[in-house]
Amino acid sequence: MPLRRLAALCLALWPAAAPAEVPRVVADIAPVHSLVAQVMGTLGQPELLMDRGADAHDYQMRPSQARALAGADLLVWIGPGMTPWLARAAEGDLAGRSLVLLDVPGTTVLPFAGGAADAAGEEPAGPDPHAWLDPSNASLWLQAIAGALSEADPANAATYAANAAAAHQAIEAADDGVAAMLAPVRGQRIIVYHDALGYFAARYGLRLVQAVAAGDAALPGAGRIAGLRDRLAGTACIFPEAGRDPGLVETLAEGTGVRIGDPLDPEGRDLPPGPALYVQLLQGLGRTIAACAAPPG
């Protein structure tokens, strides 16, 4: 057999080098899933643990989701303040393979913004976990996600870094656009359904009067409702929220002249999950608030 043909045959029979295995990643909520999906790009798809429209604070995983979590190489999540049902797994089987975004150095962490507690002591304690609503946090987290993926998959580190840089540019452009949308309503008084908009309000100079519900899963007590009625004067707009009964907001606004806005969706419950969700979420909040809170005339 000619030497050239022998060499070609040997190469054909030699086992090909296995491609780098992309980590199996799970994310807790839709905005986090969107950020991870942008960093992974075409290399792979993260799994979103929650069903679309579900409540992040009080969720029961399906068996298939529990299996996905158990088999994950990396869990990316906000932290136990947002999804307490993940804490046991993150501290147990996934210890060392969990990226808590609220703990990323440099993250802006704020207290809840809803105002003083009412007579029933309803105001939530601790840091506000809705920190993805400050896009500067999201941009910072892109780098942390790229770093965690690169540690698990060094062969694709350059791709993760490039994807994170591209996602940062897209979020920066969306941030500028939302700031322009909301510039005309800076200083307008608004009331939101639950205390999730503190980061968004701080970023864009919105004036949150109070939240209807203090906690994420709590219904307001009589003392809080009475206090809200006293604070409605001079308020431009009150907003229901996606996935929540709007009846209480409608009752509060009745006869006051306060406009009722379209439902806000700070967790992206009504948006299709995927890379585009995070920017769509920011833009949707901006458009909804601007449309309702704009001064008349």
Side-chain angles (χ1 to χ4, degrees), residues 109-117 122-131 133 190-203 206-216 224 228 231:
V109 179
L110 301 176
F112 280 94
E122 292 180 355
E123 208 63 49
D128 181 351
H130 304 86
L133 292 175
I190 65 172
I191 292 176
V192 296
Y193 182 85
H194 96 275
D195 204 349
L197 269 290
Y199 291 90
F200 195 82
R203 180 71 174 182
L206 302 175
R207 189 178 177 190
L208 288 181
V209 175
Q210 195 167 350
V212 174
D216 290 296
R224 189 177 189 89
L228 278 165
R231 303 184 75 177

Side-chain angles (χ1 to χ4, degrees), residues 58-115:
D58 184 20
Y59 185 69
Q60 295 288 331
M61 284 188 291
R62 291 181 282 107
S64 61
Q65 294 166 326
R67 288 192 296 271
L69 180 61
D73 298 307
L74 177 65
L75 166 65
V76 184
W77 62 314
I78 294 293
M82 189 69 197
T83 48
W85 44 275
L86 275 175
R88 179 176 295 181
E91 295 167 1
D93 295 341
L94 286 170
R97 293 180 286 141
S98 168
L99 175 60
V100 179
L101 296 177
L102 276 184
D103 291 345
V104 171
T107 297
T108 297
V109 179
L110 301 176
F112 280 94

Side-chain angles (χ1 to χ4, degrees), residues 261-273:
D262 290 335
L264 298 176
D265 190 9
E267 295 174 22
R269 289 186 179 197
D270 286 349
L271 296 172

